[in-house]
Amino acid sequence: MGMSAEDERTMSPRDEEWPEAEKAEKLARGAALKWASAVFYCPEKLEGLGQYRSRETQRNSSIQSRLKSTVQSYLEGGLQQMRALMAEHVQLASVVQVLPQLFSVHEVFSHTLQLLHGQHLLEAHAALMMMEHLRDDILSQLHLRGLSSAQATVLSYFGGLQELSERLAKQLWDIVGSSLRLVREDPVLFVTAVRIIEREEKIDDTLLLEATFLPPGRPKGWRQKFYHILQETITGARFHATHVGAEGPGLARHLAALQKDIVSELRVVKDLMVQCVPAHYNILSVCTATYHQALISHLQDILREDLDKQALFLLLEWALRVYCSPEMMGHPDLLPEVDVSALGPLMSPELVDQTERKYVVKVKASVLEWMQRTLEVEFKEWFREEEPEMDHQGFFQSALPVIVMQMLNENIQVASLITDSLQQKVYNMALEELEAFLGRLREALVQCGKEHQKDRTAPKYYVSYLLAMLNNNLALSSSVSSLHPNTARREVPMSLWAALDRMQKKACQLLLEELLLDLQPLCLQLPSRKWLFGSQLVSSMCEVIDKYAKDFSHVRKPIFTLLLAESELLVASQYLRALMQKKMVCKNEEERGQFCDRLLQDATQLRELFCGLGLDQSQQSLEAVFALRELICLKDPALLSLEVLGFITKYPDVSDEHITTLLDLRGDVSKEVRHMVLEMMAQHPQVLPESYRPIFNTILVPAPELPFCLRKGKCA
């Protein structure tokens, strides 16, 4: 079937544009007519017409859906390219809109640089802020529109903006670095710098609170940088790379300069700089804290050096006393605004303790050196051809105790100017060194005594210098308890008292050894027949004793009394020892009588001598000679047991050997009596009372001589 004229007239322009559609339509119409003709020729098929219509409707819908999907996919592929082109067009349009402003940026850069060179900082900063605002505004708009690729284009126009900002910042930090000078000479420049810093701080705060994104270089944090530069200026000028030295004079000059400069600069901050910055800067507190922290570190650096005694003292005094005093941080010109009490100490308690210990070590070395030198000078004077000096009372003395105690006392007094703890440390050290000094002094005495034994003519005034040493020891004993200024803390250790006592005993011992050396030749002559019949041995002994007693009068009374008592004990023990040497045995009763008379005369003469010298009879050991005489004088040997019992009761340190020797001295005691006496002694053992002063226990009795025996023979 051909197309009618009406169909040709109703053909749409789309049919003309799409000939394939026309062909498809003709084919469809032909197929439909063919199917309809078949149905009309076969009436029985008319019943399935409804089903056919339904099936064709479904197929037609399916075809339309596929067609629509195909067409839509085709169209969307072209739209994606169009969208990309559209987005690029919009970006270019946005850039084109700000091109006039972007083209002017280079000119503004050049102008801003000229302003910076001329130090027109406020104008330069205004231009900088204008350009940053322009850049940030453009970037913000592009960011909101999601035009990220255009941001790079815009940033390329502002490439020198960061450098410009850094140049301005450098000039600002140079100004801040000279702030202490500028606030006195040109405060306007400093104020300008602070105004610019505050502008930038406000911009930072606004952007951090309100902006959807942070522009490049933000936040600048120039206020924090201001504090940093100011602190670096304060600390760098005088604290960094400063070599002070380890000696006191150099450190003293350094600390004095620090003190002067810090007070002067804080005055400038308080009186001038505070007026040039906003109140919330707390500039005076910041500077005060900066100086404080810098000094803490600086003092620690100084303490790493091996400082001498004076330097350590100066450092402690400066940190603990001077720093907070009216001479420095407590200066009237700084109060009440400057207050370092809340900042803590310059030196921690641990560091103070460590430094005090270092100081004590240095002082100890100095004290040791001085004491050794004093000791050498002291014994050098012993060999002079003159006696030691006397005080106004006639007592021998030397400068030793004055030098030693003055040295120790001065160090303790100096330490008290710092802290109580340092004073106590030095006090304890002083007592330890005094004890050690007494030990060395005693050793020197012993050595000097040994040398004197080899040649008793040197030193010439050996006894006099020993007496001076005793007076010196007494002076040290009386002074040591007053070393500490605080009476409640004058604790003298027992070891020091013991050292003083050992020193005194050694000097007394050496003096008594001298007396003994002069008495021994006389004591060797008794008992003897010559002595028995009236020799002048005891008179000569009295002369020796009296000579020494006159020497002893140059020592103070407590020691004089001690020496007198010890001398009397020495004389008594030497007299008794001589009697115990078995040099003589009484031949008969008459000779025993003469022996007893001589003992009475000698003991009486010696007792009267010591009583005349000031030693009471009750304190004398010569009573033992009188008691021994009673044993010799007893006429009836049968009564010896009772007499000996009384004797050993009074002198419990007497031994069997002593009694046997005395019985031998009588010459008339039988073996039976001797046995009875010794048996009685065995039945009455004696215990030494605590208050008893021994006399016999130091007297050795010669061993009995054994009878001579021939080899392989019997003894006689």
Side-chain angles (χ1 to χ4, degrees), residues 613-625:
L613 294 174
L615 186 64
D616 190 79
Q617 182 175 331
S618 62
Q619 298 176 313
Q620 295 184 20
S621 300
L622 284 166
E623 290 300 315
V625 178

Side-chain angles (χ1 to χ4, degrees), residues 11 31 108 140 174 185 214 283 287 405 421 428 494 552 642 655 658 676:
M11 285 180 61
V108 178
S140 178
D174 289 342
E185 300 175 1
L214 284 177
I283 197 69
C287 290
M405 297 308 295
S421 64
N428 293 338
M494 294 302 299
F552 294 167
L642 184 61
S655 67
H658 291 134
M676 182 175 60

Side-chain angles (χ1 to χ4, degrees), residues 188-287:
V188 174
L189 192 58
F190 178 69
V191 171
T192 298
V194 174
R195 287 179 62 187
I196 293 172
I197 291 168
E198 280 302 289
R199 285 179 182 176
E200 289 292 340
E201 198 69 18
K202 289 179 181 178
I203 295 172
D204 280 350
D205 293 342
T206 302
L207 288 172
L208 289 171
L209 290 174
E210 301 177 0
T212 57
F213 84 107
L214 284 177
R218 291 290 179 181
K220 292 185 177 181
W222 279 8
R223 186 191 294 164
Q224 194 62 34
K225 183 69 173 177
F226 167 86
Y227 288 133
H228 178 72
I229 295 297
L230 184 62
Q231 291 166 347
E232 281 293 317
T233 301
I234 288 173
T235 59
R238 59 186 55 84
F239 296 114
H240 290 170
T242 302
H243 181 71
V244 179
E247 297 181 353
L251 181 61
R253 290 190 296 271
H254 177 69
L255 293 177
L258 278 180
Q259 178 180 340
K260 178 183 176 182
D261 293 345
I262 291 174
V263 172
S264 175
E265 290 174 6
L266 282 176
R267 279 181 185 152
V268 172
V269 175
K270 174 179 173 289
D271 297 336
L272 300 176
M273 189 179 287
V274 167
Q275 303 174 22
C276 300
V277 298
H280 64 265
Y281 270 48
N282 294 321
I283 197 69
L284 183 56
S285 298
V286 170
C287 290

Side-chain angles (χ1 to χ4, degrees), residues 140-209:
S140 178
Q141 293 180 27
L142 295 177
H143 176 74
L144 292 173
R145 296 177 183 179
L147 305 177
S148 56
S149 61
Q151 291 181 354
T153 304
V154 172
L155 286 174
S156 65
Y157 282 91
F158 292 93
L161 192 58
Q162 183 64 28
E163 181 184 355
L164 197 63
S165 176
E166 291 174 356
R167 287 195 179 188
L168 173 60
K170 184 179 183 304
Q171 291 199 25
L172 294 179
W173 308 144
D174 289 342
I175 292 171
V176 174
S178 305
S179 56
L180 291 172
R181 175 181 58 82
L182 288 174
V183 294
R184 288 177 290 184
E185 300 175 1
D186 187 9
V188 174
L189 192 58
F190 178 69
V191 171
T192 298
V194 174
R195 287 179 62 187
I196 293 172
I197 291 168
E198 280 302 289
R199 285 179 182 176
E200 289 292 340
E201 198 69 18
K202 289 179 181 178
I203 295 172
D204 280 350
D205 293 342
T206 302
L207 288 172
L208 289 171
L209 290 174

Side-chain angles (χ1 to χ4, degrees), residues 218-428:
R218 291 290 179 181
K220 292 185 177 181
W222 279 8
R223 186 191 294 164
Q224 194 62 34
K225 183 69 173 177
F226 167 86
Y227 288 133
H228 178 72
I229 295 297
L230 184 62
Q231 291 166 347
E232 281 293 317
T233 301
I234 288 173
T235 59
R238 59 186 55 84
F239 296 114
H240 290 170
T242 302
H243 181 71
V244 179
E247 297 181 353
L251 181 61
R253 290 190 296 271
H254 177 69
L255 293 177
L258 278 180
Q259 178 180 340
K260 178 183 176 182
D261 293 345
I262 291 174
V263 172
S264 175
E265 290 174 6
L266 282 176
R267 279 181 185 152
V268 172
V269 175
K270 174 179 173 289
D271 297 336
L272 300 176
M273 189 179 287
V274 167
Q275 303 174 22
C276 300
V277 298
H280 64 265
Y281 270 48
N282 294 321
I283 197 69
L284 183 56
S285 298
V286 170
C287 290
T288 302
T290 300
Y291 280 118
H292 188 80
Q293 292 301 321
L295 282 172
I296 290 176
S297 299
H298 188 53
L299 295 185
Q300 291 175 352
D301 291 339
I302 294 175
L303 283 171
R304 291 188 181 95
E305 300 285 338
D306 184 19
L307 302 180
D308 64 12
K309 177 184 69 172
Q310 183 184 1
L312 287 167
F313 176 83
L314 287 171
L315 198 65
L316 285 168
E317 181 187 35
W318 196 85
L320 301 178
R321 297 296 180 192
V322 175
Y323 181 66
C324 293
S325 72
E327 299 175 7
M328 196 172 175
M329 303 308 275
H331 197 283
D333 292 348
L334 301 179
L335 297 177
E337 289 84 354
V338 173
D339 182 13
V340 295
S341 60
L343 299 177
L346 278 183
M347 297 174 66
S348 67
E350 296 77 14
L351 184 59
V352 170
D353 181 69
Q354 179 184 348
T355 306
E356 287 180 350
R357 292 181 186 279
K358 287 183 179 179
Y359 173 74
V360 172
V361 169
K362 298 291 184 180
V363 173
K364 181 177 180 178
S366 176
V367 167
L368 178 60
E369 181 182 352
W370 272 98
M371 283 186 168
Q372 187 60 34
R373 191 178 305 168
T374 302
L375 192 62
E376 293 171 359
V377 171
E378 176 73 14
F379 280 95
K380 186 177 181 180
E381 290 182 351
W382 281 43
F383 292 89
R384 295 187 305 174
E385 291 296 319
E386 56 185 17
E387 289 185 321
E389 64 180 52
M390 295 185 188
D391 63 8
H392 65 284
Q393 295 177 301
F395 298 127
F396 290 135
Q397 64 178 12
S398 73
L400 183 142
V402 175
I403 294 173
V404 170
M405 297 308 295
Q406 183 177 352
M407 175 173 47
L408 297 179
N409 187 62
E410 285 179 357
N411 280 292
I412 294 170
Q413 292 292 336
V414 167
S416 68
L417 301 175
I418 307 299
T419 62
D420 291 341
S421 64
L422 180 60
Q423 183 186 48
Q424 191 63 36
K425 287 185 180 73
V426 173
Y427 175 72
N428 293 338

Side-chain angles (χ1 to χ4, degrees), residues 473-700:
N473 195 70
L474 196 63
L476 290 173
S477 299
S478 61
S479 301
V480 69
S481 58
S482 61
L483 266 178
H484 204 296
N486 188 348
T487 55
R489 306 182 71 176
R490 291 175 179 173
E491 300 176 3
V492 180
M494 294 302 299
S495 59
L496 179 55
W497 291 123
L500 288 164
D501 185 59
R502 286 194 299 272
M503 176 64 197
Q504 176 179 295
K505 286 180 177 178
K506 177 52 65 175
C508 288
Q509 178 189 342
L510 294 174
L511 282 168
L512 293 173
E513 286 177 357
E514 281 296 291
L515 173 60
L516 178 60
L517 287 173
D518 287 341
L519 288 176
Q520 276 180 337
L522 299 173
C523 291
L524 290 174
Q525 299 179 38
L526 60 91
S528 63
R529 297 283 186 269
K530 181 180 180 181
W531 162 76
L532 186 63
F533 297 111
S535 71
Q536 299 297 313
L537 282 177
V538 173
S539 297
S540 300
M541 291 174 63
C542 289
E543 291 177 3
V544 173
I545 296 168
D546 188 62
K547 171 183 174 297
Y548 274 89
K550 288 180 181 178
D551 291 334
F552 294 167
S553 66
H554 293 290
V555 72
R556 294 187 178 276
K557 189 170 184 179
I559 308 299
F560 173 79
T561 303
L562 174 65
L563 284 172
L564 201 59
E566 292 296 325
S567 298
E568 190 272 341
L569 176 62
L570 175 67
V571 170
S573 63
Q574 289 300 312
Y575 192 92
L576 291 170
R577 179 178 282 108
L579 295 178
M580 299 283 182
Q581 298 307 306
K582 299 182 179 181
K583 295 180 181 179
M584 180 179 174
V585 175
C586 296
K587 297 179 179 179
N588 50 47
E589 184 177 349
E590 180 182 359
E591 198 168 82
R592 275 196 302 277
Q594 293 173 342
F595 193 93
C596 290
D597 292 341
R598 175 53 59 189
L599 288 178
L600 179 62
Q601 292 176 16
D602 289 354
T604 302
Q605 187 176 357
L606 290 170
R607 182 172 65 183
E608 290 176 352
L609 171 66
F610 281 104
C611 286
L613 294 174
L615 186 64
D616 190 79
Q617 182 175 331
S618 62
Q619 298 176 313
Q620 295 184 20
S621 300
L622 284 166
E623 290 300 315
V625 178
F626 289 97
L628 182 147
R629 174 182 173 277
E630 295 299 323
L631 289 177
I632 304 298
C633 294
L634 187 66
K635 293 184 178 181
D636 187 358
L639 299 176
L640 277 173
S641 294
L642 184 61
E643 192 70 29
V644 169
L645 179 60
F647 188 83
I648 64 174
T649 302
K650 190 173 183 180
Y651 301 100
D653 63 327
V654 72
S655 67
D656 293 0
E657 290 78 9
H658 291 134
I659 295 299
T660 300
T661 301
L662 292 176
L663 295 179
D664 290 342
L665 192 60
R666 282 179 58 93
D668 65 340
V669 179
S670 65
K671 290 182 180 180
E672 291 77 9
V673 172
R674 186 190 306 271
H675 178 72
M676 182 175 60
V677 169
L678 294 176
E679 186 176 358
M680 179 275 301
M681 290 181 67
Q683 294 173 356
H684 296 83
Q686 302 297 313
V687 178
L688 296 179
E690 291 184 4
S691 59
Y692 177 72
R693 190 182 186 191
I695 183 172
F696 285 96
N697 61 356
T698 59
I699 298 175
L700 297 178

